[in-house]
Amino acid sequence: SQQGEEDPQALSIQEGENATMNCSYKTSINNLQWYRQNSGRGLVHLILIRSNEREKHSGRLRVTLDTSKKSSSLLITASRAADTASYFCATADPFPNDYKLSFGAGTTVTVRA
Amino acid sequence: EAQVTQNPRYLITVTGKKLTVTCSQNMNHEYMSWYRQDPGLGLRQIYYSMNVEVTDKGDVPEGYKVSRKEKRNFPLILESPSPNQTSLYFCASSFWGGAHNEQFFGPGTRLTVL
């Protein structure tokens, strides 16, 4: 199965700044999801964007999807110390393999006070 | 409270000693899966289950077994653990359709095999 690749691997920003990270994948997808993981803990779902959607918002989060470029971006606006975490994209292949979710290696975000 | 629980949270064992990591969810989810997380490799799916008595291999199933006798439980079994199975393990569940929906993750089990 395919695996998304996040870029950059690590990101350090000042509190209040925006953070942008990207995810690229190899084959067509059914949907793409973003998750957050605080150090060593379970992943928490942030946003799911379907292949026929181009942009989605949730609070300070904005996700875009460009299926022609096979890429997605996650923007966190007005970052806070609590946003310090690793962020993962996950892709679901189209039917009939849409029961499998493949994760990338993640982007580690550090928000400095 | 809706949640996925895993036990134990931490485990140190020796090569070859059979162990089971339990996973339970209270959300009536049909889909459950196991992942392992290793530095630089992200999460890799071990096994998943679409429903009771329906399981299938993920990307890294070697050395693991699972069973799904009840909807809420999905234990991960290591019959003969080896040091390369030292990892952080996560159980996850979701409503029908698996990857169509958000996954709810457990807190993780950190396993060390000596």
Side-chain angles (χ1 to χ4, degrees), chain A residues 1 3 30-31 33 35 37 40-45 48 50 88 92 98-105, chain B residues 31 35 37 40-43 45 48 50 57-59 88 90 97 99-103 105-107 110:
Chain A
S1 62
Q3 186 175 34
N30 181 289
N31 68 62
Q33 304 181 38
Y35 288 81
Q37 182 183 34
R41 303 182 69 175
L43 279 73
V44 174
H45 182 263
L48 182 153
R50 302 200 184 280
F88 297 87
D98 53 350
Y99 42 78
K100 295 180 68 174
L101 202 58
S102 300
F103 287 81
Chain B
Y31 182 92
Y35 297 88
Q37 184 177 30
L41 296 178
L43 275 80
Q45 192 177 51
Y48 64 92
M50 295 292 285
K57 297 176 181 178
D59 295 319
L88 180 57
F90 289 101
H100 288 276
N101 304 288
E102 69 171 284
Q103 304 289 303
F105 280 81
R110 191 168 291 279

Side-chain angles (χ1 to χ4, degrees), chain A residues 47-59:
Chain A
I47 287 184
L48 182 153
I49 186 165
R50 302 200 184 280
S51 58
N52 60 354
E53 297 176 308
R54 291 296 167 258
E55 188 170 311
K56 212 161 181 180
H57 296 255
S58 176

Side-chain angles (χ1 to χ4, degrees), chain B residues 23-42:
Chain B
C23 172
S24 182
Q25 49 92 7
N26 62 0
M27 295 169 278
N28 203 36
H29 286 166
E30 293 187 353
Y31 182 92
M32 297 185 75
S33 60
W34 276 102
Y35 297 88
R36 61 177 289 174
Q37 184 177 30
D38 302 290
L41 296 178

Side-chain angles (χ1 to χ4, degrees), chain A residues 11-19 78-81 110-113:
Chain A
L11 184 58
S12 180
I13 56 174
Q14 201 75 29
E15 203 165 22
E17 293 180 338
N18 296 343
S79 62
R80 306 167 182 168
T110 303
V111 181
R112 306 186 307 274

Side-chain angles (χ1 to χ4, degrees), chain A residues 22-74:
Chain A
N22 304 296
C23 171
S24 60
Y25 55 92
K26 294 185 174 62
T27 66
S28 60
I29 59 171
N30 181 289
N31 68 62
L32 186 143
Q33 304 181 38
W34 285 92
Y35 288 81
R36 184 188 74 231
Q37 182 183 34
N38 292 94
S39 182
R41 303 182 69 175
L43 279 73
V44 174
H45 182 263
L46 297 176
I47 287 184
L48 182 153
I49 186 165
R50 302 200 184 280
S51 58
N52 60 354
E53 297 176 308
R54 291 296 167 258
E55 188 170 311
K56 212 161 181 180
H57 296 255
S58 176
R60 294 182 296 111
L61 306 180
R62 172 178 170 252
V63 168
T64 62
L65 179 64
D66 187 335
T67 53
S68 66
K69 295 181 179 178
K70 294 187 172 55
S71 68
S72 173
S73 68
L74 170 65

